[in-house]
Amino acid sequence: MTEQLFADVILPLPLGDMFTYRIPADFQANIKVGVRVIVQFGARKFFSALVYKLHNNMPVGSFDIKDIDAILDPEPIITPAQIILWEWMVDYYCCTMGEVYKAALPSALKLESQTKVSFNPNFNMPVDMPGEEEALLLMLQGHGQANIQSINKFLGKKSALSTLKILLEKNAVLIEEKLADSYSAKVQPFIFLHPKLANDNAIREALESLKKAKKQQQLLEFFLAETLYHEEKRPNIAKKELLEQSGISDTVLRTLLEKEFLHLQEIEVGRLDFSSDGEQKIFDLNEAQNKAFSEIKQYQPTGKPVLLHGVTASGKTEVYIKLIEEQLALGKQVLYLVPEIGLTTQLINRLKRAFGDKAGIYHSRFNDSERVEIWLNTLHEREKSFEIIIGARSAALLPFRNLGLIIVDEEHENSYKQFDPSPRYNARDVAVVLAQIHRAQVILGTATPSFESYFNVKTNKYALVEMKERFQNISLPEMVIADVREATKRKQMKSLLTPDLYDSIETALKNEEQVILFQNRRGFAPYLQCGTCGWIPKCKNCDVSLTYHKHLSALVCHYCGHTQSLPDGCGECHSEDIKTRGFGTEKIEEELSLIFPEARIARMDMDSTRAKKAYERLIYQFESKQIDILVGTQMVTKGLDFDHVSVVGILNADQLLNYPDFRSFERSYQLIAQVSGRAGRKNKQGKVIIQTTQPKHPVLLEVAEHNFIQLFNRQMSERQLFKYPPYFRLVKVVLKHKNRDRLNLAANQMAAKLRKLFGFNILGPEYPLVGRIQSWYQKEIWVKLERDQKLMSSKKKILEEIKSIKTQPNNAGLVAYADVDPM
Ligand code: ADP
Ligand code: ZN
Ligand code: ZN
């Protein structure tokens, strides 16, 4: 091999350019594209960088090229396919390689000087530990943690990264933010029933003896319900889970342990969940599913992405399972993308049942060592590896070696789009490119296609496969539009419920069927208002009203989290007449409990699912009919499959329709159709009640007739007329500053420059819906670009303008970036 003198490397920094380093002679034999190297950057900082290119071209104009300090990996940790994908992302999303590198790699694989390191308490130090490693471990044990810079100093080395890498591989140290995560512990305390309570009698006596100690009794009862009396009887429960879910304190638990009612034992928990319940169940497809299956397969050789448009409960998941099975038989890997991994309990269980330990989950909330293991597991073939990766958007950035199929489930969901930080990519679109690179098949599945994807069908870029019937020919739900204004006029409203909705709920409860109610606002009331002067309490950091949360008895900002106590009176006129306005999920829950005192009501939103496993618990309780009415936000619209839901209510459709955004009709349709899809999935037809003051609204009529095509066609002509996607490409230029005047100056200047370049296809600058968030004022300029060859060069021009405005000396403190295909 000829010698290469230089390496261009990617640094985990938002810097645009490649950085060139010299390759010392003794590294020549081992350096490869895709391995990590340690390089010095700036006066004192060291980074692990990725080798991107090897070459012999002396960089022009540089006089001081530094040497590479060390090579970290014997073999590349990224694949050539990834480099192609990253290059595409850089061009398409106006971002840098460094940003993609940062987003893609788990932090343990991209050590930086500031990275914090600590001793892993579960590590047993062997006697033959090399001196330097041992010294470092002892230091970390003593200090708790240290950053890499101070470790360098401690070891008297220019860079300690290679030593750290060895310790990481030995699992002797832990990296940074994941320290706090108890999941990184390999041993966890679990609570068992004490052997003394071996029979019902003993249990009864124990409970009896606690009559005067209510908390202890509660905790013991809770434990029994979670283990012995749970449907899937289990022997124990993790201590942490028990305390979190019961909300009872550690001291109470300790007393029960002392009384020998309960028993604590440390159990080893594997870091990766290779578990499965071994059922390995895969259904046979019915006729409609078989038809979809073979249609999809027909497109395999063409490389065309397939949009699978199947109504809710048509059985799309089972079709995916068959396709996955086939890929596995061919020895190929499968990527299964979901919008939010936290909300996919049911799907994950389904896939685990079908594929057991071949399915692995990639979760940004997993701790780093787990993510590193999945990374390496995807990269290298091992004795036991995951062949199916289920994950949210960042799973598309894993190092697949042999990808055969990508499924993008619920492709219409906007959580596929990353908002912050850069790269602001849409994983659905990245998946399509990734599939192309691997010559894999990609399937975008949904009951409510995004207009972008459907447009791609119309323009022949994607193939369309349809499933128009529900599994077992259950009818789609009956849709009723309920006129709130009319009912109010006639004084027929029962609190927030129209007679239609009230009657339907009552009937459902009588028949022991379940109800889902959807309201896209959490909290009790969206805002408070003074009845005398109209004053509304607002967030001090954001231009937005505060939401009233009754159970916290506080006002909360949904943008920055700022929380304050309730006002005694009006902030302007001191009147004590403060009213709640509008209604959120909390209020609905409360009102319902007054109207249907017998019903068991639960709420599913961000607030009620914050505790670990709280979401899974709610799903389980609803599935097992321990809940009659489930009130929730968007969370209840997402892919849930329940057997006994006969009624779905949308409490306020106006709120969706009136949202100021060019996609609001598309979104309204998607949300209503998706939540409606939860009704009547098995056995019988369900019913959906849509409450609105605009009963003749065309979108509501279309959703009631399940007429997606009509909505699509109608909206397409508007989008074309007003130059919106999918006819035009949008790039949103965002500018932020803490000083409003500075922001305005910069935004106006930016808009003028863009107008010079792109003429009339510029909107703004304007404040977004909330013009100030966390003390940052924000303005946006929308650039509408034609879908032609000039697209890439236009984006480059926008980027240049952004760079130039940021570097103006009077613009220190200005944040500016481009968001391509904003959602
Ligand atoms: P979709 O993803 O299209 O909304 P699902 O795949 O969740 O629909 O299917 C709806 C329900 O029908 C699920 O409970 C699923 O288990 C069941 N189902 C679908 N296909 C089959 C099949 N071939 N055999 C048995 N049950 C099936
Ligand atoms: Zn007032
Ligand atoms: Zn705020």
Side-chain angles (χ1 to χ4, degrees):
M1 213 170 74
T2 54
E3 284 214 333
Q4 308 277 7
L5 296 176
F6 302 103
D8 290 349
V9 305
I10 308 170
L11 287 163
L13 297 170
L15 300 166
D17 309 311
M18 287 295 156
F19 295 88
T20 305
Y21 288 82
R22 195 189 302 276
I23 307 168
D26 43 336
F27 291 166
Q28 282 293 336
N30 299 322
I31 195 139
K32 291 172 192 158
V33 170
V35 300
R36 287 171 306 157
V37 291
I38 291 168
V39 296
Q40 185 175 1
F41 185 78
R44 277 205 317 244
K45 285 196 165 168
F46 288 87
F47 289 96
S48 68
L50 263 183
V51 176
Y52 173 67
K53 209 179 260 169
L54 301 173
H55 60 85
N56 274 318
N57 311 322
M58 177 73 167
V60 274
S62 35
F63 40 91
D64 177 24
I65 302 177
K66 294 194 179 84
D67 279 0
I68 282 175
D69 282 311
I71 299 179
L72 282 180
D73 306 298
E75 291 301 323
I77 60 154
I78 60 167
T79 66
Q82 276 179 299
I83 292 184
I84 300 173
L85 182 73
W86 293 11
E87 284 169 345
W88 177 83
M89 287 175 74
V90 165
D91 284 341
Y92 189 89
Y93 290 109
C94 296
C95 60
T96 67
M97 273 292 192
E99 287 167 335
V100 183
Y101 171 34
K102 263 181 98 99
L105 268 84
S107 19
L109 290 178
K110 49 176 194 227
L111 307 169
E112 302 169 24
S113 328
Q114 295 310 316
T115 304
K116 292 212 168 56
V117 182
S118 74
F119 180 71
N120 180 357
N122 295 314
F123 180 72
N124 293 321
M125 187 126 45
V127 272
D128 59 348
M129 200 82 183
E132 188 179 61
E133 293 171 29
E134 187 180 17
L136 179 54
L137 287 179
L138 290 173
M139 186 276 267
L140 288 175
Q141 234 173 340
H143 281 69
Q145 56 169 229
N147 68 26
I148 292 182
Q149 226 162 332
S150 54
I151 292 174
N152 292 343
K153 219 181 264 166
F154 175 78
L155 293 181
K157 277 186 159 183
K158 217 161 80 174
S159 164
L161 289 181
S162 37
T163 314
L164 276 176
K165 182 195 166 229
I166 298 170
L167 291 176
L168 269 170
E169 280 164 0
K170 292 183 176 168
N171 212 7
V173 294
L174 300 171
I175 292 291
E176 207 179 9
E177 66 272 0
K178 283 74 205 174
L179 294 177
D181 194 332
S182 65
Y183 266 143
S184 56
K186 273 188 128 178
V187 186
Q188 269 187 29
F190 279 79
I191 306 296
F192 292 73
L193 193 64
H194 199 276
K196 279 189 179 163
L197 303 194
N199 59 52
D200 283 0
N201 252 342
I203 292 175
R204 211 170 306 128
E205 273 167 33
L207 285 171
E208 188 65 28
S209 75
L210 294 176
K211 246 166 83 184
K212 293 237 171 68
K214 276 281 170 258
K215 285 273 166 208
Q216 294 173 37
Q217 194 186 37
Q218 261 175 24
L219 186 61
L220 184 57
E221 275 173 351
F222 187 88
F223 173 85
L224 294 169
E226 281 300 306
T227 52
L228 222 48
Y229 304 136
H230 199 271
E231 253 179 48
E232 336 160 354
K233 280 189 187 151
R234 35 183 183 160
N236 59 48
I237 176 167
K239 176 180 161 195
K240 189 154 180 264
E241 200 179 321
L242 177 67
L243 294 178
E244 263 176 17
Q245 297 195 354
S246 65
I248 295 174
S249 74
D250 199 12
T251 359
V252 178
L253 175 63
R254 237 174 296 151
T255 323
L256 288 179
L257 293 170
E258 277 160 21
K259 289 188 178 164
E260 301 197 321
F261 291 163
L262 295 178
H263 169 72
L264 182 144
Q265 194 180 329
E266 303 272 341
I267 298 186
E268 246 196 73
V269 286
R271 267 191 297 150
L272 285 187
D273 180 16
F274 275 111
S275 72
S276 75
D277 57 9
E279 265 180 75
Q280 309 274 331
K281 226 176 15 191
I282 295 186
F283 295 123
D284 291 327
L285 299 185
N286 70 10
E287 206 184 311
Q289 287 170 321
N290 259 322
K291 186 162 164 283
F293 176 77
S294 37
E295 278 177 40
I296 291 171
K297 287 201 23 167
Q298 267 176 21
Y299 291 110
Q300 253 166 19
T302 69
K304 233 187 205 186
V306 174
L307 176 68
L308 177 59
H309 181 197
V311 298
T312 51
S314 53
K316 296 184 286 296
T317 318
E318 301 304 322
V319 175
Y320 301 145
I321 286 176
K322 279 279 184 229
L323 289 160
I324 294 171
E325 205 183 15
E326 229 182 42
Q327 292 296 324
L328 297 189
L330 295 171
K332 297 269 191 175
Q333 292 173 304
V334 176
L335 169 62
Y336 196 124
L337 283 177
V338 295
E340 277 161 90
I341 197 91
L343 303 180
T344 21
T345 320
Q346 284 186 324
L347 175 77
I348 288 171
N349 289 342
R350 180 72 198 96
L351 292 174
K352 281 260 174 200
R353 242 181 292 142
F355 301 108
D357 55 13
K358 290 201 187 82
I361 297 151
Y362 192 63
H363 197 319
S364 63
R365 259 182 286 163
F366 280 0
N367 73 55
D368 222 63
S369 32
E370 285 169 330
R371 283 194 287 154
V372 171
E373 274 196 57
I374 296 216
W375 184 279
L376 300 175
N377 209 302
T378 314
L379 181 66
H380 303 297
E381 189 141 16
R382 302 212 168 145
E383 200 183 311
K384 201 166 191 186
S385 27
F386 295 125
E387 303 305 325
I388 310 158
I389 300 287
I390 309 161
R393 54 177 179 253
S394 62
L397 303 178
L398 283 168
F400 296 97
R401 73 193 114 80
N402 188 16
L403 194 59
L405 173 69
I406 306 177
I407 291 157
V408 185
D409 204 2
E410 312 289 358
E411 65 88 25
H412 63 278
E413 283 276 354
N414 54 2
S415 32
Y416 278 123
K417 167 82 177 174
Q418 162 129 336
F419 288 92
D420 234 7
S422 180
R424 299 180 172 81
Y425 63 106
N426 187 319
R428 172 196 64 205
D429 302 329
V430 167
V432 170
V433 176
L434 179 67
Q436 248 169 30
I437 296 171
H438 283 269
R439 299 181 187 287
Q441 183 166 40
V442 57
I443 302 168
L444 315 180
T446 176
T448 52
S450 65
F451 285 5
E452 277 83 358
S453 297
Y454 210 73
F455 183 79
N456 281 333
V457 168
K458 294 287 169 202
T459 52
N460 217 9
K461 277 199 198 135
Y462 294 177
L464 179 68
V465 174
E466 292 179 304
M467 295 171 73
K468 294 186 174 171
E469 298 288 332
R470 282 188 153 183
F471 182 66
Q472 287 175 336
N473 292 325
I474 308 289
S475 307
L476 283 166
E478 177 198 348
M479 310 286 281
V480 178
I481 299 176
D483 187 345
V484 173
R485 196 167 283 167
E486 187 69 17
T488 311
K489 213 162 70 192
R490 293 170 188 262
K491 303 214 179 339
Q492 292 172 328
M493 292 293 285
K494 284 211 171 68
S495 173
L496 306 164
L497 307 179
T498 53
D500 279 322
L501 186 50
Y502 175 85
D503 294 343
S504 307
I505 296 176
E506 199 179 35
T507 313
L509 293 176
K510 215 178 285 164
N511 296 339
E512 295 187 5
E513 292 159 350
Q514 291 172 300
V515 177
I516 291 181
L517 296 179
F518 167 66
Q519 165 70 352
N520 216 8
R521 278 272 165 89
R522 65 193 168 92
F524 189 84
Y527 61 102
L528 299 181
Q529 192 171 33
C530 169
T532 312
C533 76
W535 171 81
I536 294 170
K538 295 223 161 102
C539 177
K540 60 175 184 165
N541 308 317
C542 317
D543 287 341
V544 71
S545 55
L546 294 165
T547 302
Y548 171 39
H549 285 250
K550 194 166 180 178
H551 74 284
L552 296 174
S553 138
L555 296 176
V556 180
C557 172
H558 284 185
Y559 284 81
C560 73
H562 166 72
T563 303
Q564 65 186 55
S565 55
L566 292 173
D568 297 330
C570 172
E572 291 284 336
C573 75
H574 306 294
S575 151
E576 284 179 12
D577 176 25
I578 304 288
K579 295 190 155 66
T580 65
R581 299 288 188 200
F583 53 93
T585 44
E586 250 187 51
K587 178 162 184 183
I588 296 166
E589 190 186 16
E590 186 180 294
E591 296 279 308
L592 282 170
S593 64
L594 299 175
I595 308 175
F596 302 107
E598 244 84 278
R600 294 163 299 172
I601 302 163
R603 174 164 56 90
M604 183 188 270
D605 56 26
M606 243 162 71
D607 302 312
S608 73
T609 54
R610 212 157 266 154
K612 203 144 84 191
K613 296 263 162 86
Y615 174 79
E616 285 83 349
R617 212 175 140 76
L618 269 174
I619 299 255
Y620 172 74
Q621 288 177 328
F622 198 61
E623 267 175 353
S624 57
K625 290 190 90 174
Q626 300 171 40
I627 296 169
D628 301 311
I629 306 178
L630 186 64
V631 180
T633 54
Q634 292 211 29
M635 273 189 187
V636 300
T637 66
K638 296 186 197 268
L640 301 173
D641 182 19
F642 299 115
D643 293 348
H644 311 286
V645 176
S646 64
V647 173
V648 164
I650 288 128
L651 284 153
N652 183 358
D654 298 354
Q655 203 181 64
L656 303 173
L657 296 167
N658 299 344
Y659 189 81
D661 183 270
F662 75 92
R663 284 197 181 89
S664 69
F665 289 175
E666 177 184 355
R667 290 245 170 84
S668 304
Y669 187 99
Q670 284 165 355
L671 275 169
I672 297 174
Q674 289 288 347
V675 67
S676 305
R678 309 309 123 209
R681 289 170 74 91
K682 286 238 172 100
N683 311 321
K684 69 176 252 193
Q685 192 191 19
K687 190 173 183 180
V688 176
I689 318 284
I690 306 169
Q691 299 197 144
T692 178
T693 61
Q694 311 163 72
K696 297 265 149 41
H697 198 293
V699 174
L700 296 184
L701 299 176
E702 281 149 359
V703 82
E705 289 161 9
H706 309 287
N707 196 343
F708 172 78
I709 306 295
Q710 188 177 316
L711 171 81
F712 177 78
N713 289 335
R714 218 165 39 78
Q715 284 283 295
M716 277 303 110
S717 31
E718 265 181 39
R719 298 264 182 107
Q720 189 165 27
L721 190 63
F722 296 109
K723 300 189 174 171
Y724 276 114
Y727 289 96
F728 281 71
R729 293 270 184 207
L730 279 183
V731 178
K732 181 168 82 177
V733 177
V734 178
L735 300 123
K736 296 184 192 180
H737 205 296
K738 292 208 167 175
N739 179 309
R740 191 203 306 242
D741 298 330
R742 288 251 161 248
L743 173 69
N744 278 325
L745 278 174
N748 290 338
Q749 188 190 352
M750 186 73 178
K753 285 196 166 167
L754 293 172
R755 283 211 163 82
K756 223 182 241 164
L757 286 170
F758 302 107
F760 294 112
N761 290 342
I762 303 287
L763 289 181
E766 266 167 35
Y767 286 113
L769 207 55
V770 178
R772 186 180 55 125
I773 295 178
Q774 283 191 301
S775 308
W776 286 85
Y777 291 95
Q778 179 169 334
K779 277 204 161 171
E780 300 173 351
I781 302 164
W782 295 60
V783 187
K784 298 170 174 179
L785 299 173
E786 308 223 25
R787 294 166 63 110
D788 56 17
Q789 286 74 25
K790 283 189 306 204
L791 197 60
M792 283 293 183
S793 70
S794 301
K795 285 183 192 167
K796 287 226 167 74
K797 284 184 198 152
I798 297 175
L799 258 187
E800 274 161 28
E801 293 300 342
I802 290 177
K803 249 187 224 159
S804 112
I805 202 158
K806 276 205 288 199
T807 46
Q808 280 177 23
N810 55 341
N811 276 337
L814 177 77
V815 170
Y817 59 83
D819 184 353
V820 177
D821 299 342
M823 296 284 277

